[in-house]
């Protein structure tokens, strides 16, 4: 796998961090779906790093905050699929000017982001298939590769061993959840509001589903509720007809999801539950399984969104503002 | 003012941080409305600190993440109004066991949180009046007091000078916005979904309004949209009849709010705009005005919620789960 990965810039980016020698903090900066993606990486650093601090910001917020600490001990990881997101390109340029090391993930060589950054990691992305160059896979290998170099963390070995199994796992899950996705689409096609709920590694997955799949691609009202925050406000919105998609993760965060689900089950008859324990990730990734859950949740949730769009006669590709005007 | 503040534990807490001598990072940890409150403090540290890192976590998430870095160089600031929030008490105890210094904000002396923490800062809180012991005021004095001791930051002087003017400013704003709040309540009483949008210092204010005032206290569907993220998904939900409350802040973040508002104005006829420039904060707090905006937004938004509840025959004190059952 190493030979292939190298052509995508992954090994070079990790080597650049190691060569730099004094990175003590990592900023994860992007917009929308890419911001959600990078939060998967931030979660890993938070859980694993012994001494490296990590922060997540939406690109425009990062530019507005201009943290005074940002400088030569900072690594700024940015991401834009098209490489054209203006705020993310600007954030990358700003970070470089502040003396930070920059690594950017993108699908497009020669894009403004690829030009603006010091180190580019390219990825591939198919919303309905997992490959070993998948954006989440590349990000996971990047952050764990960095933690291996800087702190001797060895979780990357577990992930490298698991990656070749992920494509097949994804194909199996697509079959396994096809009927449930179709049922979700049919039974939710008239819902004006659909909530998503998760925590830990999957909180940003639920966020992405709420803002990109439901709000953006379906024009369906949505909000992402954090399973741990549910009991401190949002749970009062729960009623027999409140639709909530609940993601049950792995690892320490799982108990938050379980508690929220146990409560929601008592008062809503409109829950859709996806449980990472049904994915078979622990068998292939061991203690790193938690970090791979967003990949499989994103895949299964995509099926749900496609079926919803199909039943609503509203394909996921339709927009009313994006691609249609300047803003 | 110092004499009074002392009785509330503020000076002692700041002195404890100074005496500790090696705090390099601050964790802000709480649940729901208190979590939103603490994010006001995290914003200040992010913008002002030259070398101190800061992080915000919902208490349950903090307990699940158990960041490996947490230790004797960490300050953990927690908050619970009643002092009884179990996850926040547990997070405080966990932080102490990990060797971190703890400071907790609460309204209630002798509460479990007061017992669990090393340093307590007491505050007062009236949802429809600002006092110089207001929770946000005490938090602001705490974090700026810490930054003064550790880094020589002098913004606290601006805030100390401004605090005595805040009560009167609040009373004036209540009169100024009374008619607008009543109009909002009447015109939104049949809305099933009301969005909130803000950024920077006020993002957590919009979050609190969405999850505590609308979801929890009104059972109205809501989500907090970040003004900078708006263009990366959520803006597609905008239509002529999409109600959005937009907070225009001060400082660097303001341009995000302005851009979002300029777009939303074109396509929605249901916007409610609150502009911090109308509050008169810059005249009393100068460069620290941005940090006080959440106090005034919270006050004015409370009026909006009270009027909405009145028109809907649903007082803000009504709950269907909280106070009625174990969960």
């Amino acid at each position: 796998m190493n030979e292939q990965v190298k052509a995508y810039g992954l090994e070079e980016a990790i080597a650049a961090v190691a060569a730099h020698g004094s990175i003590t903090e990592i900023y994860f900066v992007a917009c929308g779906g890419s911001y959600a993606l990078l939060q998967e990486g931030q979660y890993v650093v938070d859980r694993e790093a012994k001494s490296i601090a990590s922060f997540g910001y939406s690109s425009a917020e990062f530019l507005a905050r201009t943290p005074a600490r940002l400088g030569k001990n900072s690594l700024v990881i940015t991401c834009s699929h098209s490489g054209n997101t203006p705020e993310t390109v600007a954030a990358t340029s700003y970070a470089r000017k502040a003396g930070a090391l920059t690594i950017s993930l993108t699908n497009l060589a020669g894009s403004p982001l690829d030009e603006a950054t010091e180190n580019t990691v390219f990825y591939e992305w198919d919303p309905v298939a997992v490959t070993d160059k998948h954006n989440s896979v590349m990000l996971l290998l990047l952050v764990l590769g960095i933690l291996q170099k800087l702190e001797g963390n060895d979780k990357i070995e577990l992930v490298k061993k698991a990656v070749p199994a992920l494509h097949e796992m994804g194909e199996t899950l697509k079959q396994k959840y096809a009927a449930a996705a179709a049922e979700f689409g049919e039974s939710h096609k008239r819902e004006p509001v659909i909530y998503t709920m998760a925590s830990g590694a999957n909180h940003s997955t639920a966020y992405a589903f709420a803002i990109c799949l439901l709000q953006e691609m379906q024009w369906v009202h949505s909000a992402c509720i954090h399973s741990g925050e549910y009991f401190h406000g949002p749970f009062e919105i729960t009623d027999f007809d409140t639709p909530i998609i609940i993601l049950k993760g792995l690892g320490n965060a799982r108990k938050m999801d379980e508690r929220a689900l146990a409560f929601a089950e008592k008062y809503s008859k409109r829950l859709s539950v996806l449980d990472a324990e049904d994915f078979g990730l622990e068998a292939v990734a061991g203690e790193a399984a938690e970090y791979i859950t967003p990949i499989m949740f994103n895949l299964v949730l995509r099926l749900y969104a496609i079926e919803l769009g199909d039943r609503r006669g509203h394909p996921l590709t339709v927009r009313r503002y994006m691609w249609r005007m300047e803003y």
Side-chain angles (χ1 to χ4, degrees), chain A residues 130-131 137 162-171 281 284 292 295-296:
Chain A
V130 183
T131 71
V137 169
V163 167
L166 298 183
H167 176 75
E168 194 53 39
M169 183 182 291
E171 297 307 300
L281 275 168
V284 303
I292 304 177
I295 300 176
M296 297 304 156

Side-chain angles (χ1 to χ4, degrees), chain A residues 168-184:
Chain A
E168 194 53 39
M169 183 182 291
E171 297 307 300
T172 303
L173 291 181
K174 275 154 63 179
Q175 293 196 355
K176 182 171 174 172
Y177 287 93
E183 194 283 324
F184 173 85

Side-chain angles (χ1 to χ4, degrees), chain A residues 46 50 60 76 108 125 161 196-197 231 235 247 252 264 266:
Chain A
D46 252 15
K50 290 194 211 91
V76 177
L108 195 62
W125 188 67
K161 244 174 55 188
T196 63
M197 183 152 65
F231 296 97
F235 79 147
L247 310 183
N252 280 355
K266 283 191 215 163

Side-chain angles (χ1 to χ4, degrees), chain A residues 81-94:
Chain A
H81 183 71
S82 66
N84 281 311
T85 311
E87 300 97 310
T88 304
V89 176
T92 306
S93 298
Y94 166 75

Side-chain angles (χ1 to χ4, degrees), chain A residues 12 66-67 69 82 88 98 104 113 130 138 163 186 189 201 203 208 222 228 249 258 279 281 294 327:
Chain A
E12 291 88 337
T66 62
R69 281 182 325 277
S82 66
T88 304
S104 301
L113 184 60
V130 183
M138 296 297 273
V163 167
E186 181 61 21
K189 67 185 179 187
H203 182 246
S222 187
E258 286 176 336
F279 297 167
L281 275 168
Y327 49 85

Side-chain angles (χ1 to χ4, degrees), chain A residues 74 94 99 102-103 112 118-119 126-129 146 151 162 166 184 195 202 236 239 247 266 288 309 317 320:
Chain A
S74 312
Y94 166 75
T102 56
I103 297 175
E118 283 169 277
N119 304 277
D126 180 336
V128 290
I146 290 169
E151 299 191 340
L166 298 183
F184 173 85
Y195 283 102
N202 306 300
E236 288 280 340
D239 208 336
L247 310 183
K266 283 191 215 163
T317 49
R320 50 185 156 194

Side-chain angles (χ1 to χ4, degrees), chain A residues 32-254:
Chain A
S34 293
Y35 177 43
L37 169 74
L38 290 191
Q39 286 178 62
E40 298 170 17
Q42 199 219 337
Y43 183 78
V44 173
V45 176
D46 252 15
R47 295 281 287 128
E48 295 289 332
K50 290 194 211 91
S51 64
I52 296 164
S54 71
F55 313 92
Y57 293 108
S58 176
S59 301
E61 178 80 22
F62 177 76
L63 286 165
R65 289 211 184 198
T66 62
R69 281 182 325 277
L70 188 74
K72 60 182 170 39
N73 299 325
S74 312
L75 166 63
V76 177
I77 298 178
T78 61
C79 177
S80 163
H81 183 71
S82 66
N84 281 311
T85 311
E87 300 97 310
T88 304
V89 176
T92 306
S93 298
Y94 166 75
R96 282 189 76 171
K97 268 180 211 141
L101 181 68
T102 56
I103 297 175
S104 301
L105 285 84
T106 181
N107 181 250
L108 195 62
S111 62
L113 184 60
D114 182 28
E115 299 295 327
T117 196
E118 283 169 277
N119 304 277
T120 305
V121 174
F122 297 103
Y123 63 75
E124 293 163 2
W125 188 67
D126 180 336
V128 290
V130 183
T131 71
D132 60 358
K133 303 297 178 298
H134 195 76
N135 53 7
S136 292
V137 169
M138 296 297 273
L139 174 66
L140 194 49
L141 291 171
L142 174 67
V143 297
L144 285 174
I146 290 169
L147 291 181
Q148 183 181 44
K149 291 281 187 196
L150 300 187
E151 299 191 340
N153 187 299
D154 59 2
K155 286 277 194 333
I156 193 170
E157 301 305 336
L158 290 172
V159 173
K160 279 185 175 169
K161 244 174 55 188
V163 167
L166 298 183
H167 176 75
E168 194 53 39
M169 183 182 291
E171 297 307 300
T172 303
L173 291 181
K174 275 154 63 179
Q175 293 196 355
K176 182 171 174 172
Y177 287 93
E183 194 283 324
F184 173 85
E186 181 61 21
S187 63
H188 286 71
K189 67 185 179 187
R190 304 209 204 292
E191 290 293 353
V193 182
I194 302 172
Y195 283 102
T196 63
M197 183 152 65
S199 68
N202 306 300
H203 182 246
S204 62
T205 306
Y207 175 74
F209 195 75
I211 73 158
C212 297
L213 279 297
L214 292 174
Q215 290 182 331
E216 182 179 49
M217 300 184 195
Q218 285 296 296
W219 310 347
V220 167
H221 295 299
S222 187
C224 166
I225 297 170
H226 186 284
S227 315
E229 284 282 272
Y230 179 56
F231 296 97
H232 303 283
F235 79 147
E236 288 280 340
I237 202 74
T238 311
D239 208 336
F240 71 92
D241 60 349
T242 310
I244 312 176
I245 300 172
I246 300 181
L247 310 183
K248 287 175 79 176
L250 301 176
N252 280 355
R254 182 176 177 86

